[in-house]
Amino acid sequence: MAKLYGVGVGPGDKELITVKAIEVLKKADIIAIPESNNEKGSTAYEIVKPYIKENIETLTLTFPMIKDEKEKESIREKNALLIKQKIDEGKSVCFITLGDPMLYSTFIYLLQNLKQYNIEVETIPGITSFSAMASLLNMPLTIQKEKLTIVCSFDEYVKQLVKLSDTIVFMKVSSYREKLYDLIIENNLLNSFILVSNVGKENQIVSLNPEDLKNSDFSYFTTAIIKK
Amino acid sequence: MAKLYGVGVGPGDKELITVKAIEVLKKADIIAIPESNNEKGSTAYEIVKPYIKENIETLTLTFPMIKDEKEKESIREKNALLIKQKIDEGKSVCFITLGDPMLYSTFIYLLQNLKQYNIEVETIPGITSFSAMASLLNMPLTIQKEKLTIVCSFDEYVKQLVKLSDTIVFMKVSSYREKLYDLIIENNLLNSFILVSNVGKENQIVSLNPEDLKNSDFSYFTTAIIKK
């Protein structure tokens, strides 16, 4: 049936995909693969390969990481139209995405751009990087009355949220790592820091040293946690 | 191998379990099933049944929902010792838990009580109720620079976090539903409210009406989201 599926494939570990995602992928006519111009290949596609039909039609959609918002929006619209075209042809399209489709994902923009066309959409949730990271380290995110905040950028609100929350997750931290370092120093949180890059993948890196925020480069898929 | 696994089985939908959880469950010697005195049966056990060996040994651990913290701790210690005993016998134990083991789960207490024994532990993350809920409604949790806060109780900090965050998840909301209602009225958030009880299960309830917080009873597994 012609339908768009937003499929969360988990954080990168090939086994952290759900049964529901696999069932949907098995039946799909087309796999839509988002790619940035920062990454080589697609981790999401590597994860789903064992579960899809041989010779299935794929549709690679490029979402370049550029600063010009107008150009970005125009590219998103073009990609949304490519999906709509396939749906209009009566095909089911699985748009695969790392982590959870409803949390800072490209799929959300696609939903916004497709809203006007009333296309049927089904979203399959995915394991987030911070859940995978907490499990990897056997480190509770929250117990009892603790509060958890998740951010993806840095501003004054983040500074206040850090003071009020017990655990703070910083996703895609590489773009604001120096600001996070300063915040850690200002709030004396040196011993509360954990960073994992490419969680569950072969090139996974774990660091407990906030100095690494200053001195090291990390991939786009890097999550830091402050656990007070 | 003698080892404790904390296995997240997802929010309640039988298909929202990961391949990794299934692989671990298949090999387990014992399934440890947490039960409260509030629930009849175990949803987590219903989810894993298709994946475990026939006639596998089960260990039902009761964690009653009582207010006396001392008694609660004493029960937790007893349950931890029951697990330790099985590990000492050389068995692998899968402690199953709804949602994610590192987010407000009974497994966290177990980890704390077992810390002194240096038992090998592996945690398998799970899909959270709020991810499942967002997917069910095709409702983004966060886009761009939005901030997400997750809480499980109500106090002055929560009031401040609601002002600073774009999306706020209220887990196990039934215990503080009237306070949440007052907060919604005070902050004029009547049109930003979504509640799902028993997400993905047959008895799932969806409500977009904050008045229901005052007038209806919901199960323990009820999550509300304010999405500004």
Side-chain angles (χ1 to χ4, degrees):
Chain A
M1 196 183 52
K3 192 169 169 180
L4 171 62
Y5 294 89
V7 183
V9 303
D13 179 328
K14 290 185 183 190
E15 289 195 317
L16 287 182
I17 186 169
T18 66
V19 171
K20 194 163 218 166
I22 293 170
E23 289 304 312
V24 160
L25 287 161
K26 271 185 190 162
K27 293 181 205 150
D29 295 315
I30 297 170
I31 305 291
I33 310 162
E35 280 192 353
S36 68
N37 48 2
N38 275 19
E39 254 195 304
K40 278 176 197 160
S42 161
T43 305
Y45 189 51
E46 289 303 315
I47 291 170
V48 305
K49 261 186 189 164
Y51 309 112
I52 53 181
K53 297 173 208 159
E54 261 185 73
N55 305 321
I56 195 170
E57 187 180 342
T58 58
L59 179 66
T60 300
L61 302 174
T62 305
F63 295 87
M65 291 189 188
I66 49 178
K67 294 226 164 155
D68 186 331
E69 271 306 321
K70 230 174 169 176
E71 202 187 330
K72 251 181 166 167
E73 180 50 28
S74 145
I75 294 167
R76 282 178 199 140
E77 274 171 26
K78 271 184 208 157
N79 285 334
L81 277 175
L82 286 171
I83 300 255
K84 183 189 174 294
Q85 206 179 325
K86 297 295 180 185
I87 306 272
D88 287 347
E89 289 170 15
K91 292 182 172 164
S92 67
V93 180
C94 275
F95 183 94
I96 54 175
T97 180
L98 281 175
D100 183 66
M102 288 305 167
L103 203 73
Y104 304 117
S105 118
T106 308
F107 182 65
I108 299 172
Y109 293 105
L110 207 61
L111 278 188
Q112 289 181 341
N113 284 313
L114 288 172
K115 215 167 195 175
Q116 56 187 311
Y117 304 116
N118 283 321
I119 283 169
E120 195 179 349
V121 177
E122 184 175 336
T123 310
I124 317 292
I127 301 282
T128 60
S129 64
F130 59 86
S131 276
M133 193 172 154
S135 277
L136 174 76
L137 303 165
N138 291 320
M139 176 193 73
L141 290 166
T142 48
I143 188 166
Q144 283 192 320
K145 297 184 174 182
E146 288 179 357
K147 286 98 183 159
L148 170 68
T149 292
I150 298 147
V151 303
C152 192
S153 61
F154 197 90
D155 58 23
E156 287 303 313
Y157 285 98
V158 172
K159 285 189 185 176
Q160 293 178 61
L161 287 163
V162 167
K163 290 190 199 295
L164 294 167
S165 296
D166 302 280
T167 308
I168 308 97
V169 170
F170 301 89
M171 296 183 74
K172 302 175 187 173
V173 76
S174 53
S175 64
Y176 55 100
R177 57 202 182 84
E178 293 191 350
K179 286 174 186 161
L180 176 59
Y181 177 80
D182 293 340
L183 182 93
I184 288 170
I185 299 298
E186 281 162 26
N187 291 277
N188 197 20
L189 293 165
L190 276 161
N191 297 320
S192 314
F193 174 82
I194 309 108
L195 174 146
V196 180
S197 201
N198 303 315
V199 64
K201 289 168 71 179
E202 277 172 20
N203 54 351
Q204 173 181 290
I205 296 167
V206 178
S207 165
L208 305 179
N209 184 3
E211 293 292 328
D212 285 341
L213 286 171
K214 272 169 61 193
N215 304 326
S216 305
D217 265 335
F218 295 108
S219 87
Y220 181 73
F221 296 107
T222 300
T223 301
I225 297 181
I226 288 178
K227 169 87 191 150
K228 290 182 191 165
Chain B
M1 195 183 53
K3 192 168 169 180
L4 171 63
Y5 293 89
V7 182
V9 302
D13 179 326
K14 290 186 181 187
E15 289 196 316
L16 286 182
I17 186 168
T18 65
V19 171
K20 195 164 218 166
I22 292 170
E23 287 306 311
V24 160
L25 286 161
K26 272 185 188 162
K27 293 181 204 150
D29 295 315
I30 297 170
I31 305 291
I33 310 162
E35 280 192 351
S36 67
N37 47 5
N38 274 18
E39 253 197 304
K40 277 177 197 159
S42 161
T43 305
Y45 189 50
E46 289 303 315
I47 293 171
V48 305
K49 261 185 188 166
Y51 309 113
I52 53 182
K53 296 172 209 160
E54 261 184 73
N55 305 319
I56 195 171
E57 187 179 341
T58 58
L59 179 66
T60 300
L61 302 173
T62 305
F63 295 87
M65 290 189 188
I66 48 178
K67 294 226 163 157
D68 187 332
E69 270 307 320
K70 229 174 170 175
E71 201 187 332
K72 252 180 163 167
E73 180 50 29
S74 145
I75 293 167
R76 282 179 199 140
E77 274 170 26
K78 270 184 209 158
N79 285 335
L81 277 174
L82 286 171
I83 300 255
K84 183 188 175 296
Q85 206 178 324
K86 298 294 180 185
I87 306 272
D88 287 347
E89 288 169 15
K91 293 183 172 163
S92 65
V93 180
C94 275
F95 183 94
I96 54 175
T97 180
L98 281 176
D100 184 64
M102 288 305 166
L103 201 74
Y104 304 116
S105 119
T106 308
F107 183 66
I108 298 171
Y109 293 105
L110 207 62
L111 278 188
Q112 289 181 339
N113 284 311
L114 288 172
K115 214 167 196 175
Q116 57 187 311
Y117 304 117
N118 282 320
I119 284 169
E120 195 178 348
V121 176
E122 184 174 337
T123 309
I124 317 293
I127 302 283
T128 60
S129 64
F130 59 86
S131 276
M133 193 172 153
S135 277
L136 173 75
L137 303 166
N138 291 320
M139 176 193 71
L141 290 167
T142 49
I143 186 165
Q144 282 194 319
K145 297 186 172 181
E146 289 179 356
K147 286 97 180 160
L148 170 69
T149 292
I150 299 148
V151 304
C152 193
S153 61
F154 198 89
D155 59 23
E156 287 302 314
Y157 285 99
V158 172
K159 285 188 184 179
Q160 293 179 60
L161 287 162
V162 167
K163 290 189 198 297
L164 294 166
S165 295
D166 302 281
T167 308
I168 310 98
V169 169
F170 301 89
M171 296 182 73
K172 301 176 189 174
V173 75
S174 52
S175 65
Y176 55 99
R177 58 201 182 87
E178 294 190 351
K179 286 174 186 159
L180 175 58
Y181 177 80
D182 293 341
L183 182 93
I184 288 170
I185 299 297
E186 280 162 26
N187 290 277
N188 197 20
L189 294 165
L190 277 162
N191 297 320
S192 315
F193 174 82
I194 308 108
L195 174 146
V196 180
S197 200
N198 304 314
V199 65
K201 290 167 71 179
E202 279 172 20
N203 54 352
Q204 173 182 290
I205 296 168
V206 178
S207 164
L208 304 179
N209 184 3
E211 292 292 328
D212 285 342
L213 285 170
K214 271 170 63 192
N215 305 326
S216 306
D217 266 335
F218 295 107
S219 86
Y220 181 73
F221 296 107
T222 300
T223 301
I225 298 181
I226 287 178
K227 169 85 189 149
K228 290 181 192 166

